[in-house]
Amino acid sequence: MSDLISAIATAQGKGGVSIVRLSGEGALALAARMFSRKGEYVPNVLYPGTVDCGSFTDYGMCVYFRAPRSFTGEEVVEFHLHGGREIARGALERTFALGARLAAPGEFTRRAYLNGKLSLSAVEGMGEMIGAQSSAQVRAGYLLYTEKLTAEGKRLQETVKECLAGVEADVDFPEEDLSADTREEVAKKLASIGEELGRLLGQYRAGRKIRSGVNVALCGRPNAGKSSLLNALLGYDRAIVSETPGTTRDLVEGETEIHGVLFRITDTAGLREGTDAVEREGIRRAENAMRSADLIVYLKEDGDGIVLPEDTPVITVGAKCDLIRRDNCEIALSALTGEGIAALKERMYEEGFGAENEGAYLLEERHYEALREAMSAVSAAKRGAEGGLPAELYAEDLRRAYTALGTLSGETASEEIIDEIFSRFCVGK
Ligand code: GDP
């Protein structure tokens, strides 16, 4: 077992509870010296009692997890204290005085990984959950955390291994003339792996949106009602609403969740010929925002002459429908009465994210790159098998696919990748 590490596991500041966690050799012996309980410590049971924090005492609880049935896979002890910075710090320092050392960032999780409690993509999933900015991100992180991607990667690795076994037999015993059959079999299996990889890779667009949000630009002429619509979508007054055209000169942004997915909505300056330099700059920024948006909500007015970027999906809305009903708009809405706002949100979700993408969990660039590498290796091997190349030539591609897929669980990941992943965690995680 490793040496004894200790850290404050909860966010620091005032709170209901703070937790100091220890992992490694001697955790239980240390607990018996710091905590008032004198009898046996049954694993996974929270005992109430006093915690010796050096210059003061707190009344709290202590729990012991026996190796390997703990988060790290080692002997773990937690002290649950009152939630104050000084209390947690006192308890932490007491653990140092009794022989523990401060854990490095992510060291608890790293030990869990090294002890086979979590795969690398599960660790990343946990990171996604902790840093999540929307409930969709928590859901996707949870799927990673529960080894969904690792399981897929392992399954595909198994099939690659079967192909490799066939191919290697072919390399070793060419005189037995297995080649044509083996080649056909291998090509078939590789085609099905390719399809599965394609399906997984197809999630990435949605995964990126889960991670960083869907960018929506509101556009239309000055006074079309964009600021009012932004406020209605957000449910609070974010933008200034004014009868004077050209009031919104810079971009005003706000965030809202639709079915748990984060939408970043930008209220752009009204698109018209600017009358002064400041307004013209506002319009230039509006055009940039439109170009970089995933989705445009266009408040259409007759003859407004607005030209929208061609490749971006657009929802055309007829604003101020309490005053005027416009033709040729998908949704009639009123920021004043609230009519059409819910319908617009549904359309934004469908058009900007896509209901079919619920359950996507390919959100990390590292995972995407690994799958792309596997895809390119599998395609090369398939071409080799179909083209009747000597088996030893595409066996190398199969090994490359196997290695790429193994980086998902961490099995074949380099030390640098592993270090980089754990360095993202804070002390205590
Ligand atoms: P922007 O310049 O496009 O941002 O437009 P604003 O949101 O500032 O609105 C311009 C004017 O239209 C303001 O006087 C708003 O009160 C009014 N307005 C905006 N939305 C509605 C609406 O749904 N109904 C009515 N009756 N007036 C609205």
Side-chain angles (χ1 to χ4, degrees):
M1 211 189 291
S2 323
D3 66 335
L4 187 58
I5 53 171
S6 174
I8 299 170
T10 37
Q12 297 192 39
K14 285 189 209 165
V17 177
S18 55
I19 295 177
V20 170
R21 174 160 60 177
L22 294 133
S23 179
E25 178 116 47
L28 183 59
L30 186 146
R33 292 174 67 195
M34 228 175 113
F35 193 61
S36 53
R37 182 176 175 80
K38 291 295 160 250
E40 185 199 1
Y41 287 72
V42 175
N44 313 336
V45 174
L46 267 174
Y47 293 107
T50 54
V51 186
D52 167 16
C53 300
S55 61
F56 59 89
T57 301
D58 188 21
Y59 189 80
M61 288 191 280
C62 177
V63 56
Y64 155 61
F65 301 97
R66 181 185 287 149
R69 295 189 56 201
S70 68
F71 174 64
T72 58
E74 304 173 339
E75 193 171 297
V76 167
V77 160
E78 286 177 7
F79 295 113
H80 294 224
L81 305 139
H82 285 104
R85 208 189 58 178
E86 282 308 306
I87 302 170
R89 203 163 61 91
L92 180 69
E93 283 182 3
R94 187 74 191 126
T95 68
F96 298 158
L98 293 173
R101 71 161 168 86
L102 180 64
E107 194 169 3
F108 288 92
T109 312
R110 190 176 193 125
R111 289 185 176 194
Y113 168 69
L114 292 174
N115 291 324
K117 292 289 210 173
L118 297 169
S119 76
L120 207 52
S121 66
V123 167
E124 290 161 295
M126 205 171 65
E128 291 287 346
M129 289 169 72
I130 293 172
Q133 294 191 60
S134 67
S135 52
Q137 195 180 354
V138 180
R139 283 198 289 272
Y142 186 75
L143 290 173
L144 287 175
Y145 171 66
T146 51
E147 306 290 9
K148 190 113 173 146
L149 184 62
T150 294
E152 294 263 15
K154 287 214 160 116
R155 207 167 44 72
L156 294 172
Q157 261 187 315
E158 277 312 303
T159 319
V160 172
K161 210 153 106 186
E162 284 166 23
C163 295
L164 204 50
V167 168
E168 278 168 349
D170 221 15
V171 172
D172 293 342
F173 309 104
E175 69 284 358
E176 290 184 18
D177 199 25
L178 293 165
S179 306
D181 280 356
T182 312
R183 270 208 307 273
E184 202 177 306
E185 177 80 353
V186 165
K188 222 164 86 189
K189 279 190 178 152
L190 290 177
S192 90
I193 299 178
E195 269 172 35
E196 296 208 38
L197 286 171
R199 184 178 47 78
L200 276 171
L201 284 164
Q203 288 189 7
Y204 189 53
R205 246 175 87 87
R208 272 193 6 215
K209 288 178 182 171
I210 289 175
R211 208 158 184 230
S212 37
V214 181
N215 292 315
V216 181
L218 303 183
C219 30
R221 295 278 291 174
N223 253 6
K226 298 177 296 300
S227 305
S228 307
L229 178 56
L230 175 68
N231 293 342
L233 286 169
L234 300 182
Y236 65 92
D237 284 350
R238 172 72 182 81
I240 300 167
V241 172
S242 158
E243 287 171 13
T244 317
T247 310
T248 307
R249 285 158 171 247
D250 202 353
L251 308 180
V252 181
E253 281 184 1
E255 294 176 356
T256 189
E257 274 189 29
I258 306 178
H259 300 311
V261 176
L262 186 71
F263 280 71
R264 295 181 196 280
I265 307 172
T266 306
D267 172 14
T268 62
L271 296 167
R272 63 167 181 180
E273 289 306 309
T275 48
D276 63 43
V278 177
E279 196 181 344
R280 279 200 300 277
E281 175 59 19
I283 292 167
R284 199 185 61 77
R285 290 183 190 187
E287 284 167 348
N288 281 344
M290 277 191 340
R291 272 194 292 276
S292 61
D294 298 305
L295 175 66
I296 291 172
V297 173
Y298 168 34
L299 291 80
K300 187 173 171 171
E301 289 172 313
D302 290 337
D304 61 14
I306 288 176
V307 183
L308 298 169
E310 274 179 17
D311 313 328
T312 314
V314 177
I315 303 172
T316 308
V317 300
K320 307 188 193 179
C321 73
D322 54 301
L323 292 180
I324 172 173
R325 293 267 159 188
R326 296 175 206 277
D327 300 330
N328 307 328
C329 290
E330 286 177 61
I331 297 170
L333 57 84
S334 164
L336 195 70
T337 66
E339 184 184 338
I341 300 295
L344 173 60
K345 284 189 170 180
E346 285 304 320
R347 282 288 295 131
M348 284 166 63
Y349 182 74
E350 275 166 35
E351 201 60 55
F353 182 70
E356 72 282 4
N357 291 318
E358 273 168 28
Y361 49 84
L362 194 75
L363 48 165
E364 295 267 339
E365 194 181 341
R366 185 183 86 80
H367 302 164
Y368 177 70
E369 291 304 334
L371 292 172
R372 265 180 36 139
E373 165 73 4
M375 181 69 136
S376 113
V378 162
S379 307
K382 183 166 162 281
R383 279 197 304 276
E386 285 169 348
L389 288 186
E392 65 262 28
L393 290 186
Y394 58 89
E396 193 46 45
D397 292 319
L398 290 174
R399 280 184 215 106
R400 187 155 65 89
Y402 186 88
T403 307
L405 290 167
T407 59
L408 298 173
S409 66
E411 179 196 333
T412 56
S414 70
E415 255 335 281
E416 284 93 326
I417 289 180
I418 295 170
D419 284 345
E420 197 277 316
I421 290 170
F422 287 102
S423 69
R424 289 184 222 152
F425 286 94
C426 55
V427 174
K429 188 61 219 155

